[in-house]
Amino acid sequence: MNAQTTTGQTASARPERKVPPTSVRGAAMRGVVARPGHEAIEAKGWLRAHKWLLLRRASQLGILALFLAGPWFGWWIVKGNLSSSLTLGVLPLTDPFLIAQQLAAGQWPYREALLGGGIVLAFYLLLGGRLFCSWVCPVNLVTDAAAWLRRRLGLKGGKAPAGSTRHWLFGFVLVIAAVTGSLAWEWVNPVSMLHRGLIFGFGLAWGIVGGIFLYDLLIAPRGWCGHLCPQGAFYALLGRVSLVKVSADKRRDCNDCMDCFAVCPEPQVIRPALKGVGQDHPLILDAECTTCGRCVDVCGKDVFRITTRFNRSES
Amino acid sequence: MNDTVKSTTRAAAGAPSPRRRFLKDAAGVAGGAGLLALGAGIYAKQASALPATAIRPPGALAEADFLAACVRCGLCVRDCPYDTLKLAELGDGVATGTPYFLARDIPCEMCEDIPCVVACPSGALDRALTDIGEARMGLAVLIDQENCLNFLGLRCDVCYRVCPVIDKAITLERMHNPRSDRHAMLLPTVHSEHCTGCGKCEKSCVLPGESAIKVLPIKLAQGSRAEHYLRGWEEKDAAGESLIGEQLELPVRGLEDKAYGDTRVRPGEGPQAPAVPDYAPARPPGGGLDSGWKP
């Protein structure tokens, strides 16, 4: 009720309040496994209901393909891996998360790495910190698969650590780098390990990737990306000022089906914008939002869209 | 006012205040994250020991600094024209994702332009290295003198022949072969001031399995120099004269006409032993070989 008064809406003002039967809430009422996004497919067609998901997969796999084209086919467009790379022999790109660790460990990198780190830093500062997580990071494919399977199997509950664990972990990663004088986190970092493994060979790193999949599937819902990953926490820091944001600009059409909450990798970021809790504009400004656009896809009412942080309009 | 009343009632009921609960939760989360990071740190420290056969690329910083600088991007691996370098995979025993090579598999070909060093963006490979001859990836050690063919008296010489710094980093030292007592042995001998640790000797050793000559990390291959022990001959060269002055020359009886220190004596020379009457063993009575002795 409180939420409705802050947004200045009443239940009677909404055009449609019928909860769709296969949505999370509708399925819960009928006691069956929910199929979030099902209404969106019926309302918008399969393609439009998967638009951002397909674009995101194309981005993730395309970036991976650029890295793999060299070792597999000898087309050396990009050399290296996500930790540091050289594109077409001129453009250096370096993960600023690694440079932060390196500086904490007391080493000063060469100009190429600093320049490359600066370019990447500027990109994510400008466009959106956790765009890395949803559009680039290969672990996203693994944890999305675990989340999908969890929804399909109707697995409920589980025990995830607090969401702030990752921020503490990021701090401690730097502390440990300084104390040991080495990039200690890179011994176990699944993010760089998976990407490097795909390009240079895995060894036993499959175990760590499989462990994350099983952890997310069986123990902690969205446990790795949403609660533990310090690299994601680092990119969330950059997302505090970035431009590209999701807006619930047609939130008055919301029929409370809860599908967006079911598919969102960081569901706590939706409520303030959608329900006007603690803010009156419909923008999702929380830096934890990965701007994956899945909420845009699964909403049968087209409540969400991707826009800039300056667009606070509501329709 | 209202707040105070509420908190006091809560305190009276035994429930923790919001601030205390927040601090407790934060401490729990921070503790968990700290433990995770600590685990990673301890594992990293424990796993940072490099196997003796894993050789870092040319120009690599000292191992501790290398592990702080290398971002595990593999650009050095990509620019190695001979596929010598590889990135360690989890389980290889080398810090995951860092570059190394095994000399017995593919040794370093010592490219003049050192492309691996040029490619490194992180500073883990030092660009101050511009002459590959100055590289010190490790030090070759002829570690098995029992199976080395040259030590057995044969003329294998392969490690010597393939050495890119032949006659400087590896020389053949001629020694007397005490087994046959009439041949020479030519022993491959490594000199640390020229050996780059490229590993071509280890790769080409003709022994079927393990090589008799191996490139080891310099720390393993060399002892520490005894700084307290002054090498008299070096000091003498540096000072132009012996530090303890000229040695007193005392005559040796019987060798007065020879150079000081020359004690070689030809038959008939030198002091003579006192004359001994010719000795002949007593012959058994009766002659012949059979002494007739019975127990």
Side-chain angles (χ1 to χ4, degrees):
Chain A
M1 195 61 212
N2 187 23
Q4 283 172 1
T5 41
T6 40
T7 51
Q9 294 168 355
T10 60
S12 59
R14 299 186 175 206
E16 194 182 350
R17 292 288 299 165
K18 196 165 82 59
V19 177
T22 56
S23 72
V24 172
R25 199 150 149 256
M29 286 190 225
R30 297 189 300 138
V32 295
V33 173
R35 301 286 309 277
H38 204 71
E39 285 74 44
I41 296 174
E42 279 173 5
K44 308 192 278 191
W46 191 90
L47 212 58
R48 267 197 66 215
H50 291 84
K51 175 180 150 192
W52 291 104
L53 183 66
L54 291 174
L55 284 174
R56 218 152 53 76
R57 293 286 178 256
S59 161
Q60 290 164 334
L61 297 174
I63 289 169
L64 202 54
L66 282 178
F67 279 100
L68 285 172
W72 284 7
F73 307 114
W75 303 330
W76 293 105
I77 305 160
V78 186
K79 279 183 190 173
N81 58 35
L82 283 181
S83 301
S84 192
S85 65
L86 190 64
T87 304
L88 296 172
V90 286
L91 174 68
L93 293 174
T94 304
D95 192 337
F97 178 62
L98 271 157
I99 294 192
Q101 290 181 70
Q102 200 186 8
L103 295 179
Q107 284 289 332
W108 190 256
Y110 282 131
R111 205 179 59 232
E112 285 87 338
L114 285 175
L115 180 65
I119 294 171
V120 175
L121 196 71
F123 177 85
Y124 288 113
L125 268 177
L126 194 66
L127 293 181
R130 293 199 67 194
L131 276 180
F132 171 81
C133 299
S134 56
W135 291 77
V136 178
C137 179
V139 176
N140 179 268
L141 291 161
V142 177
T143 57
D144 268 5
W148 177 83
L149 195 59
R150 196 171 234 279
R151 282 196 299 274
R152 286 308 288 264
L153 296 177
L155 296 179
K156 294 267 188 279
K159 182 90 182 95
S164 55
T165 307
R166 49 187 157 180
H167 300 288
W168 285 102
L169 195 52
F170 171 57
F172 282 123
V173 161
L174 297 185
V175 171
I176 285 289
V179 171
T180 61
S182 72
L183 306 187
W185 185 250
E186 293 308 307
W187 256 274
V188 292
N189 185 358
V191 176
S192 52
M193 209 179 276
L194 174 56
H195 194 256
R196 191 171 58 232
L198 288 167
I199 298 166
F200 288 93
F202 263 100
L204 303 178
W206 280 117
I208 288 193
V209 176
I212 284 185
F213 179 80
L214 293 177
Y215 178 69
D216 268 26
L217 178 68
L218 302 175
I219 300 172
R222 304 174 297 97
W224 177 255
C225 298
H227 300 81
L228 287 179
C229 178
Q231 195 158 349
F234 169 78
Y235 279 101
L237 285 180
L238 308 184
R240 288 172 185 275
V241 292
S242 52
L243 285 180
V244 179
K245 295 287 168 190
V246 175
S247 168
D249 69 330
K250 281 194 245 167
R251 58 187 172 184
R252 73 181 79 235
D253 290 346
C254 173
N255 59 6
D256 293 333
C257 74
M258 302 287 285
D259 279 4
C260 53
F261 287 95
V263 296
C264 179
E266 302 282 346
Q268 77 281 5
V269 307
I270 295 181
R271 221 162 83 89
L274 186 63
K275 297 297 170 191
V277 180
Q279 68 180 48
D280 40 13
H281 59 83
L283 275 178
I284 297 178
L285 289 181
D286 196 314
E288 302 295 2
C289 173
T290 66
T291 326
C292 70
R294 195 70 188 118
C295 54
V296 185
D297 284 347
V298 298
C299 184
K301 299 290 173 197
D302 268 337
V303 167
F304 299 94
R305 69 194 184 99
I306 292 181
T307 177
T308 69
R309 73 183 299 124
F310 305 115
N311 182 2
R312 300 198 166 194
S313 67
E314 197 174 339
S315 53
Chain B
M1 185 62 208
N2 195 18
D3 237 27
T4 338
V5 172
K6 263 208 270 187
S7 64
T8 37
T9 20
R10 201 185 285 110
S17 71
R19 182 190 295 157
R20 179 170 296 178
R21 201 171 59 226
F22 170 78
L23 287 175
K24 209 174 137 214
D25 289 352
V29 170
L35 276 180
L36 263 174
L38 188 67
I42 290 172
Y43 168 63
K45 265 290 164 211
Q46 185 258 331
S48 61
L50 197 62
T53 48
I55 310 293
R56 292 293 186 199
L61 302 179
E63 187 63 13
D65 290 336
F66 183 83
L67 290 176
C70 174
V71 298
R72 292 118 159 101
C73 66
L75 285 172
C76 54
V77 174
R78 289 297 179 232
D79 282 9
C80 174
Y82 299 98
D83 289 337
T84 300
L85 294 175
K86 50 186 178 179
L87 284 193
E89 297 169 5
L90 197 62
D92 277 355
V94 179
T96 321
T98 56
Y100 74 106
F101 68 95
L102 297 174
R104 190 64 163 157
D105 293 347
I106 311 177
C108 172
E109 295 287 343
M110 288 176 59
C111 313
E112 283 191 357
D113 50 349
I114 329 180
C116 49
V117 173
V118 175
C120 178
S122 69
L125 304 183
D126 190 352
R127 286 185 195 164
L129 179 75
T130 49
D131 172 11
I132 190 66
E134 298 295 317
R136 293 293 177 268
M137 294 170 264
L139 180 60
V141 179
L142 205 156
I143 208 164
D144 187 354
Q145 304 188 349
E146 293 175 340
N147 286 309
C148 170
L149 297 183
N150 274 39
F151 268 82
L152 296 177
L154 291 128
R155 287 299 303 276
C156 163
D157 298 359
V158 169
C159 55
Y160 162 78
R161 294 282 166 208
V162 298
C163 178
V165 203
I166 184 170
D167 282 328
K168 287 182 184 156
I170 302 184
T171 56
L172 291 177
E173 300 296 324
R174 199 176 69 185
M175 305 283 266
H176 174 67
N177 184 341
R179 183 176 51 77
S180 72
D181 206 19
R182 71 195 61 188
H183 298 99
M185 297 192 298
L186 288 122
L187 304 183
T189 307
V190 180
H191 303 277
S192 63
E193 69 268 37
H194 293 294
C195 175
T196 64
C198 71
K200 294 205 75 164
C201 52
E202 179 176 343
K203 167 69 181 172
S204 57
C205 176
V206 300
L207 295 186
E210 291 286 326
S211 171
I213 189 166
K214 286 192 167 86
V215 176
L216 298 178
I218 287 171
K219 200 178 150 193
L220 280 185
Q222 271 187 318
S224 310
R225 191 188 160 113
E227 295 293 345
H228 58 276
Y229 175 66
L230 295 182
R231 302 176 187 193
W233 56 98
E234 287 177 5
E235 300 295 330
K236 187 176 176 183
D237 282 349
E241 56 172 350
S242 171
L243 296 185
I244 55 173
E246 288 307 313
Q247 289 187 44
L248 197 58
E249 294 186 3
L250 292 174
V252 178
R253 193 183 301 162
L255 298 175
E256 289 86 352
D257 53 337
K258 300 178 83 78
Y260 181 73
D262 183 4
T263 54
R264 290 173 296 181
V265 180
R266 275 189 291 276
E269 246 185 14
Q272 298 298 312
V276 178
D278 279 348
Y279 169 79
R283 289 177 170 276
L289 288 171
D290 186 8
S291 68
W293 183 84
K294 286 200 172 60

